[in-house]
Amino acid sequence: MELTKIRNELSVKGKNGIGFLLSAVVIWSIITIIFLLPLGTYQKNIYMLFTTGLMFPLSIGMSTLVRADWRLQGNQLGDLGLFLNLAQVIYFPILFWGIARSPTEAIMFFAIITGAHFFPYGWFYNAKPFYVMAPIISLAIMFLGFYLNGESLWLIPLSMIILLLVLIVWLITDYKRKAEEI
């Protein structure tokens, strides 16, 4: 029972990571714009990678804006959130392979990696929306990727924005319920 209490405290203090997810919406919005530009696929993929460099500073700003404690100091599991986020980097060789060998699918690989990496946050924040949306995002993007051609790749980042917004709304509801309980 103590562990559940710690996880619920993380959920409320960190507001379920909503600051980071809002940053992801901004980044995927920029990526959508990049994929609408009349550039080559390789250039789009490189710009997509550069855009990810905005994640951490933007997340700090968004977390401040929504008054979420992104550092989660004073909680025994606080550092675990950082490790869970860094775990996504381990999947980047798949993305780099995609850029080199299958450039039109690289955006799909990146979106699937992003969606899948949300799954452990279900445990971390004791939040079912992560458990549900991680596989939904990954599978939805995979099926979308099967049907797209090189000209309509912008639909993948646009779909990510929509799916992230669904996740955010659901997490806000989860956060409010827990905040009332605590």
Side-chain angles (χ1 to χ4, degrees):
M1 188 64 168
E2 182 64 29
L3 185 58
T4 300
K5 181 181 176 188
I6 291 170
R7 290 165 49 215
N8 285 342
E9 283 178 16
L10 283 170
S11 177
V12 172
K13 283 175 95 175
K15 293 192 176 176
N16 282 337
I18 292 168
F20 283 81
L21 293 169
L22 289 170
S23 301
V25 169
V26 171
I27 288 169
W28 282 101
S29 297
I30 294 168
I31 293 171
T32 302
I33 293 167
I34 289 168
F35 275 80
L36 284 167
L37 294 174
L39 302 169
T41 305
Y42 184 76
Q43 276 184 300
K44 291 176 183 181
N45 287 333
I46 296 302
Y47 292 150
M48 172 185 68
L49 284 177
F50 286 154
T51 303
T52 63
L54 299 171
M55 186 63 186
F56 188 68
L58 197 54
S59 296
I60 293 171
M62 289 291 192
S63 294
T64 302
L65 189 67
V66 298
R67 295 187 175 119
D69 181 5
W70 65 272
R71 293 168 294 201
L72 301 169
Q73 293 175 340
N75 189 297
Q76 298 165 345
L77 295 175
D79 290 339
L80 180 59
L82 175 64
F83 291 117
L84 292 176
N85 206 23
L86 290 175
Q88 182 182 14
V89 175
I90 295 169
Y91 297 108
F92 270 40
I94 297 168
L95 179 59
F96 297 146
W97 177 89
I99 290 171
R101 292 290 186 105
S102 189
T104 55
E105 280 85 19
I107 184 71
M108 180 186 66
F109 296 150
F110 186 44
I112 291 171
I113 290 167
T114 299
H117 105 282
F118 293 138
F119 191 79
Y121 287 101
W123 183 89
F124 183 70
Y125 288 120
N126 196 29
K128 288 181 183 156
F130 283 115
Y131 285 133
V132 174
M133 289 303 293
I136 286 175
I137 291 169
S138 296
L139 291 171
I141 296 300
M142 181 188 72
F143 287 119
L144 183 61
F146 282 145
Y147 296 103
L148 294 180
N149 60 30
E151 298 301 314
S152 53
L153 291 175
W154 60 272
L155 287 169
I156 291 175
L158 180 65
S159 298
M160 280 298 294
I161 295 166
I162 294 165
L163 292 164
L164 285 168
L165 289 172
V166 169
L167 177 59
I168 290 167
V169 169
W170 196 359
L171 286 170
I172 289 170
T173 304
D174 179 77
Y175 158 76
K176 287 180 178 179
R177 180 187 53 79
K178 289 177 189 162
E180 287 175 8
E181 292 173 3
I182 293 179

